[in-house]
Each structure stands twice: as C-alpha cells, then as structure tokens.
Amino acid sequence: MGLSERNLVRRLRKGDREACRELIRRHHQGVYGYLRRLGAQPSRAEDLTQETYAKAWRRIETLRDAASLRSWLLTIARNEFFQRLRVNRPDAEGCEDLPEIEDPDPGAESEMIDSERDRRLRHAVGRLEPTLQEAVALHYFQDLSYRETGSVLGIPAGTVKSRIHRALGELRALLEQTEADHERQRAEEAAARPS
C-alpha cells in the first residue's frame, strides 16, 4: 500500500481499518523504539505502543497537518509514557538496556567493534539528564528535525538545538572519560599478566 501520509490520514479519518494497519506497519518500530529509549521495559513499551495507536485512532480528527503524523504519534507516545510513569514509578530504567543495533551484513571484527561502540554510546546517553536524553532520542534515533522534536517535547526549536548542543558536549566528555578508563583498565590488566 503506497499511500502518502496525507492519503493515509484521509483514509484514517474515514475509519478505514486497512489504513490503520498501514499506519501501524509504518510507524510501529519508531514508536516502540522511542518508548524504549525513554526507559520503558519491553512489555510496557509494547503496551504503550498499542495505547498510542488506540488513542491516535480515536483522535485522528485532531491532527492538523498530515505531514506531521510521525511527530504527532511520538507526542502521544511520550504523553502515554509519562502518564503511566506518574501512575506507577518503577518502569523507567535508562537507555543502557536497549537491544543491540545490528548491521545487516557486518564482518565478525567489525560487528564486535560496532557492538562495543553502540554499548558505550547507549550507556553515555543513559547518563544524560532526561531532558537531554529525550532530545537526543527524538533528533538522532527518530530522525526528527529540530522543529518536529520541539513539537513532540512542547518546546521551541531553538531550545531543542540548545539541548542537542549541550548533550553532544556532555556525550563527548563522557565518551572520552569512558575511553580513558577503558585504556587504563587494559594497561592494568596487561601489567598484571605474568611475563
């Protein structure tokens, strides 16, 4: 089904269930991944993803611009996550528990290096304050523009840009510190080995 976003929204507004299936097919991974990056456990992220689509189905008439469908869905997902978080606190745990990002056809050595780099990056992102984590997750992991990210977060695009700039500076420092710690650990292990 090669529908444009506008045609998809038009069909959703008419109650077309096939269009609803297409909406889910197109955006499920993005919504689910965003909820995981916010800190939802896998089963909770799946529940929240379903709730996001149920709410979107009921409120499709409130979508003003079909071109902003993806950011509208992520806004609903974010609101659902924080609403649930207010109700039962123990769900959030940070970004370091995310599944590995896999390259479709990596070599063994390349895969190991990329996996370690991804792990370190996820760990560093997880150490950022929540407002910076959200901005990074939306802008880089969901590939939203500053304007779209601001729309989801309810802040101006300039504030998003500022948060991204600050997050990148903090990530750079965290990754440099992690690398220095890793090098120091390797040196200590090498020195401790018998000759």
Side-chain angles (χ1 to χ4, degrees):
M1 190 187 284
L3 292 175
S4 70
E5 294 285 283
R6 287 194 196 295
N7 287 334
L8 181 62
V9 169
R10 194 172 304 129
R11 289 181 58 185
L12 287 166
R13 286 181 173 152
K14 291 179 181 178
D16 184 334
R17 293 209 177 266
E18 188 59 39
C20 187
R21 282 189 276 283
E22 177 66 12
L23 174 74
I24 293 168
R25 186 193 65 71
R26 284 185 191 182
H27 297 285
H28 182 272
Q29 282 302 104
V31 171
Y32 175 83
Y34 175 59
L35 288 164
R36 288 289 288 133
R37 284 181 182 88
L38 285 177
Q41 296 287 327
S43 62
R44 181 61 55 92
E46 194 58 51
D47 289 346
L48 289 170
T49 299
Q50 295 302 322
E51 289 174 31
T52 297
Y53 286 112
K55 192 164 277 187
W57 178 255
R58 289 190 308 270
R59 295 183 178 172
I60 192 66
E61 293 300 324
T62 67
L63 176 61
R64 285 177 274 174
D65 180 12
S68 64
L69 177 61
R70 183 171 57 147
S71 57
W72 182 70
L73 286 170
L74 293 173
T75 301
I76 294 171
R78 179 180 188 271
N79 291 340
E80 289 297 307
F81 174 80
F82 284 109
Q83 176 61 34
R84 181 74 61 93
L85 194 60
R86 282 189 288 277
V87 173
N88 34 345
R89 303 271 312 146
D91 194 39
E93 65 176 39
C95 295
E96 56 272 354
D97 187 41
L98 294 176
E100 293 297 323
I101 301 167
E102 295 181 25
D103 187 343
D105 188 27
E109 185 177 335
S110 170
E111 186 175 322
M112 186 174 76
I113 291 168
D114 289 347
S115 176
E116 177 62 17
R117 191 176 300 130
D118 290 344
R119 186 193 66 74
R120 287 182 187 169
L121 180 58
R122 279 193 316 277
H123 179 72
V125 170
R127 291 176 60 193
L128 295 173
E129 67 180 65
T131 58
L132 300 182
Q133 281 184 34
E134 277 189 296
V136 167
L138 289 167
H139 184 66
Y140 289 107
F141 299 140
Q142 294 298 323
D143 200 29
L144 296 182
S145 68
Y146 292 132
R147 184 186 57 75
E148 291 169 321
T149 299
S151 174
V152 171
L153 298 176
I155 58 176
T159 303
V160 172
K161 191 172 185 179
S162 173
R163 286 182 185 178
I164 293 292
H165 179 76
R166 186 167 149 222
L168 292 176
E170 288 185 24
L171 284 172
R172 188 175 301 111
L174 287 167
L175 290 170
E176 287 171 1
Q177 181 61 48
T178 300
E179 186 60 32
D181 292 345
H182 188 65
E183 288 298 322
R184 187 173 29 259
Q185 182 182 6
R186 280 195 296 215
E188 290 171 0
E189 288 171 359
R193 283 190 211 119
S195 305

